[in-house]
Amino acid sequence: MDLLRSLLLLPALDPDGSRHARRSHADAVVIDLDERIPLDEVEPARAAARAAVADLHSDHRQVWVRVHATSTLQAKADIRATVREGLSGFVLPDAQSANHVRYAEALLRDAEAATGLKEGTLHLIAMIASAAGLLAAQEITKATSRLVGLALDGAGFCADMGVERTRDGHELQYARGHIAVCARAAGIHAIDTSFPYTRETQGLLAEAAHARSLGLHGKLMVTPDQAPVINAVFRPTAEEIAYARRLHVAHEEARERGDDFAHIDGRIVDGPRARRARRLVELATAIEAKEQQAAI
């Protein structure tokens, strides 16, 4: 299982970006080709993003590139300029329909062929930043098997809705829940928006815990210092892992006996509960493997 608990957004033109990323405990780094980059700096930004992919991939972490929205006609050049070995894939901002994702998939297929990468190497995360995108979220998750995550752009969504982004985030409640449900149904990651108040650790802790309670699996972040808090929130507890292992073992033993259900602690363990338990065990195993690798 690929870990996507914490994703650090890193401006492509940040001269200290790679250094900041290397000291971060983020599961993934997203090199950001921000739409606000002036046109005369777009090519240098693409070159910097490509160099950062090579630099950070050698640090044994997932590296992604957030391209311009497909509606800007810049995404094609972004992808062509930054595809290389070691890149996990691309983050698509402001996805509003399944066609946006299918267009990106076609660009990835062409880029893989042009660079000698095996077809299907590169993956996608679609960001939801509008009411239209939220309503199309379920269809977006079905657009391609390359899609591994659905993420919320809180600032973009609030701007589209004409509401203020607040500290408690109540205005994002419905969007978070909807994205969590659509991602769960598709079997992909649900990723929460970043917490913009970088010096408020307690606020970050509360928002991340709330996101997890809604069924989200990880969170974007804007500073490396947020990673330990986010990783801790989205890490299963020892009790959760132990119970999940018991459920999984009980269900497997029931299947070997030819039964569809198992019983544990007076509760029925059916297929869906067993699958959720298995995913939790896989997540815990992936976290342990990452921590062991970091300790080497």
Side-chain angles (χ1 to χ4, degrees):
M1 174 181 287
D2 289 332
L3 290 178
L4 286 174
R5 295 171 299 170
S6 51
L7 298 88
L8 175 62
L9 287 166
L10 199 67
L13 290 174
D14 182 351
D16 297 319
S18 291
R19 179 171 60 84
H20 292 323
R22 279 193 295 271
R23 72 177 178 83
S24 169
H25 295 285
D27 290 336
V29 176
V30 181
I31 311 300
D32 194 1
L33 293 172
D34 193 289
E35 63 183 9
R36 293 168 295 181
I37 295 175
L39 286 178
D40 62 346
E41 294 184 18
V42 169
E43 287 304 326
R46 288 171 178 152
R50 181 177 175 84
V53 171
D55 185 21
L56 294 174
H57 172 66
S58 64
D59 199 26
H60 304 291
R61 69 176 72 236
Q62 288 187 61
V63 185
W64 298 73
V65 172
R66 185 167 87 158
V67 296
H68 289 80
T70 55
S71 58
T72 67
L73 304 181
Q74 295 280 358
K76 183 176 183 179
D78 289 343
I79 290 172
R80 285 183 173 180
T82 55
V83 164
R84 61 170 301 151
E85 187 176 358
L87 181 66
S88 295
F90 293 92
V91 177
L92 300 180
D94 197 18
Q96 296 193 23
S97 72
N99 284 337
H100 284 182
V101 179
R102 294 189 187 105
Y103 172 66
E105 178 187 32
L107 296 180
L108 263 59
R109 191 165 54 245
D110 291 346
E112 287 168 342
T115 55
L117 293 177
K118 180 181 178 181
E119 183 173 338
T121 297
L122 300 169
H123 297 97
L124 292 167
I125 296 173
M127 295 189 76
I128 303 300
S130 67
L134 190 66
L135 291 177
Q138 185 176 11
E139 292 306 313
I140 286 172
T141 64
K142 299 176 182 177
T144 172
S145 59
R146 292 180 186 263
L147 195 72
V148 299
L150 198 62
L152 174 62
D153 176 354
F157 185 77
C158 287
D160 184 66
M161 293 294 294
V163 300
E164 182 182 357
R165 173 76 160 98
T166 64
R167 276 177 168 78
D168 63 16
H170 65 274
E171 68 281 353
L172 297 175
Q173 179 83 359
Y174 173 72
R176 284 180 167 128
H178 187 72
I179 285 173
V181 169
C182 291
R184 172 65 76 186
I188 62 177
H189 294 274
I191 302 165
D192 192 29
T193 188
S194 60
F195 182 71
Y197 307 100
T198 57
R199 296 181 182 274
E200 297 185 12
T201 302
Q202 289 303 312
L204 172 64
L205 178 62
E207 183 167 282
H210 179 63
R212 187 186 177 194
S213 75
L214 293 174
L216 287 102
H217 308 116
K219 192 168 180 64
L220 293 161
M221 60 187 201
V222 293
T223 174
D225 298 331
Q226 294 178 324
V229 173
I230 293 172
N231 285 346
V233 169
F234 288 99
R235 177 181 184 138
T237 66
E239 292 76 13
E240 289 173 325
I241 297 168
Y243 188 62
R245 285 179 172 144
R246 287 181 63 204
L247 290 182
H248 177 63
V249 169
H251 190 260
E252 288 300 303
E253 290 175 348
R255 289 183 59 190
E256 291 175 3
R257 295 193 302 268
D259 297 331
D260 294 328
F261 304 98
H263 295 82
I264 184 171
D265 299 338
R267 303 182 67 179
I268 294 176
V269 181
D270 57 9
R273 289 194 70 201
R275 286 192 294 273
R276 288 195 296 271
R278 185 177 67 249
R279 283 196 297 266
L280 193 66
V281 172
E282 290 171 350
L283 173 61
T285 302
I287 292 171
E288 290 170 3
K290 181 190 174 186
E291 292 176 345
Q292 289 173 0
Q293 187 180 55
I296 296 175

